[in-house]
């Protein structure tokens, strides 16, 4: 009786607010180990199992979950980093585009526009860097899959209104997973290359507004950023 009462009093504080059966089992195992330490033997009387507890005794536990809610796919049921298994997915054409902006300031902008940066043609070098960056995404981002890209398109445009370089990158594949990270990596690496090419002329540069613009294909369907 003492052990049973102790279980009812102890478990709500022992266990955090859990939402899965594995969390409940882990918390109960923790309790049983504690009881073994107190009594010097494995608990038999007063042993608690997942099936022996009711909602009244464990008000903080909810074993139901809404599977339609968004969840982190790169975290497994134990909260550990996990590379998603995509072997059961069907191949489909997938496209993603991303954008980035590099604020140059008037002085550097004029040098880039006149192709007078000492390191060379900023826009063309950054374009090549973006393409190369997209192909290296799986080596840079630990849990990304190694994707066979079928096309990468980079556009770098000078914007005189705010003295910036506007960068757009598009990645395309036919496969089991999307290319959002490839598009984002492409524009980010291109932006970093613009910075590297121009930093001798000024350190007051800013890489900003890196975002996914749209994606198509896959189970989640098409998506585009609201203007």
């Amino acid at each position: 009786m003492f052990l049973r009462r102790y279980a009812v009093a102890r478990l709500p504080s022992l266990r955090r607010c859990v939402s899965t059966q594995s969390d409940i089992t882990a918390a109960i195992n923790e309790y049983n180990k504690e009881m073994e330490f107190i009594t010097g033997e494995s608990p038999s009387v007063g042993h608690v199992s997942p099936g022996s507890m009711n909602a009244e005794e464990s008000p903080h536990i909810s074993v139901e979950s809404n599977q339609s809610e968004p969840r982190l796919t790169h975290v497994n049921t134990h909260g550990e980093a996990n590379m998603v298994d995509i072997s059961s997915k069907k191949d489909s054409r997938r496209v993603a585009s991303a954008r980035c902006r590099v604020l140059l300031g008037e002085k550097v902008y004029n040098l880039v526009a006149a192709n007078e940066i000492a390191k060379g043609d900023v826009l063309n070098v950054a374009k090549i860097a973006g393409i190369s960056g997209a192909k290296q995404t799986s080596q840079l981002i630990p849990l990304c899959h190694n994707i066979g890209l079928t096309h990468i398109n980079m556009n770098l445009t000078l914007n005189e209104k705010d003295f910036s370089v506007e960068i757009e990158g598009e990645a395309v594949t036919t496969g089991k997973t999307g290319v959002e990270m490839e598009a984002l990596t492409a524009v980010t690496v291109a932006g970093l290359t613009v910075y590297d090419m121009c930093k001798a002329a000024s350190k007051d540069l800013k890489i900003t507004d890196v975002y996914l613009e749209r994606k198509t294909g896959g189970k989640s369907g098409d998506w585009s950023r609201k203007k």
Side-chain angles (χ1 to χ4, degrees):
M1 180 62 71
F2 166 76
L3 293 177
R4 182 63 178 174
R5 287 178 180 174
Y6 182 85
V8 173
R10 178 73 178 95
L11 281 172
S13 60
L14 173 66
R15 293 178 296 169
R16 301 158 298 279
C17 294
V18 295
S19 58
T20 67
Q21 186 64 42
S22 62
D23 290 335
I24 294 171
T25 302
I28 290 173
N29 288 337
E30 183 180 347
Y31 159 76
N32 287 328
K33 288 180 181 179
E34 182 176 331
M35 292 306 300
E36 183 177 355
F37 175 78
I38 293 172
T39 62
E41 59 182 15
S42 298
S44 53
V45 178
H47 172 80
V48 180
S49 63
S52 69
M53 301 195 65
N54 57 48
E56 208 171 275
E57 294 172 338
S58 53
H60 298 289
I61 297 174
S62 172
V63 295
E64 295 182 0
S65 62
N66 186 350
Q67 296 299 323
S68 63
E69 292 182 356
R71 60 189 181 89
L72 297 176
T73 57
H74 286 82
V75 179
N76 64 19
T77 56
H78 302 292
E80 301 167 337
N82 176 55
M83 188 174 185
V84 178
D85 184 355
I86 59 173
S87 56
S88 62
K89 289 187 174 184
K90 294 181 179 180
D91 287 349
S92 66
R93 187 174 187 270
R94 300 164 184 267
V95 181
S97 65
R99 287 183 176 272
C100 173
R101 181 188 301 269
V102 184
L103 301 176
L104 302 174
E106 185 174 2
K107 172 189 171 182
V108 177
Y109 177 89
N110 290 333
L111 290 172
V112 173
N115 197 15
E116 294 179 355
I117 292 292
K119 285 191 174 183
D121 189 336
V122 173
L123 301 186
N124 276 326
V125 173
K127 179 178 180 178
I128 295 170
I131 294 171
S132 179
K135 294 191 290 185
Q136 301 298 318
T137 300
S138 64
Q139 296 183 42
L140 299 171
I141 312 298
L143 301 180
C144 277
H145 295 83
N146 191 353
I147 295 175
L149 294 169
T150 56
H151 182 63
I152 304 165
N153 185 49
M154 299 292 301
N155 288 314
L156 286 84
T157 307
L158 290 171
N159 187 338
E160 191 174 6
K161 291 182 179 180
D162 60 0
F163 303 115
S164 69
V165 178
E166 295 182 351
I167 304 171
E168 181 180 8
E170 182 182 73
V172 184
T173 190
T174 298
K176 299 177 184 294
T177 190
V179 285
E180 293 95 322
M181 293 308 303
E182 282 69 20
L184 286 164
T185 300
V187 297
T188 303
V189 171
L192 287 168
T193 302
V194 171
Y195 189 99
D196 178 63
M197 298 281 289
C198 300
K199 70 180 187 294
S202 173
K203 300 295 189 294
D204 190 23
L205 310 175
K206 182 185 289 186
I207 301 171
T208 186
D209 298 332
V210 180
Y211 62 88
L212 180 70
E213 184 173 46
R214 66 182 178 87
K215 58 85 63 178
T216 63
K219 185 178 179 180
S220 62
D222 298 349
W223 178 90
S224 62
R225 185 171 296 277
K226 295 180 181 179
K227 301 295 185 181

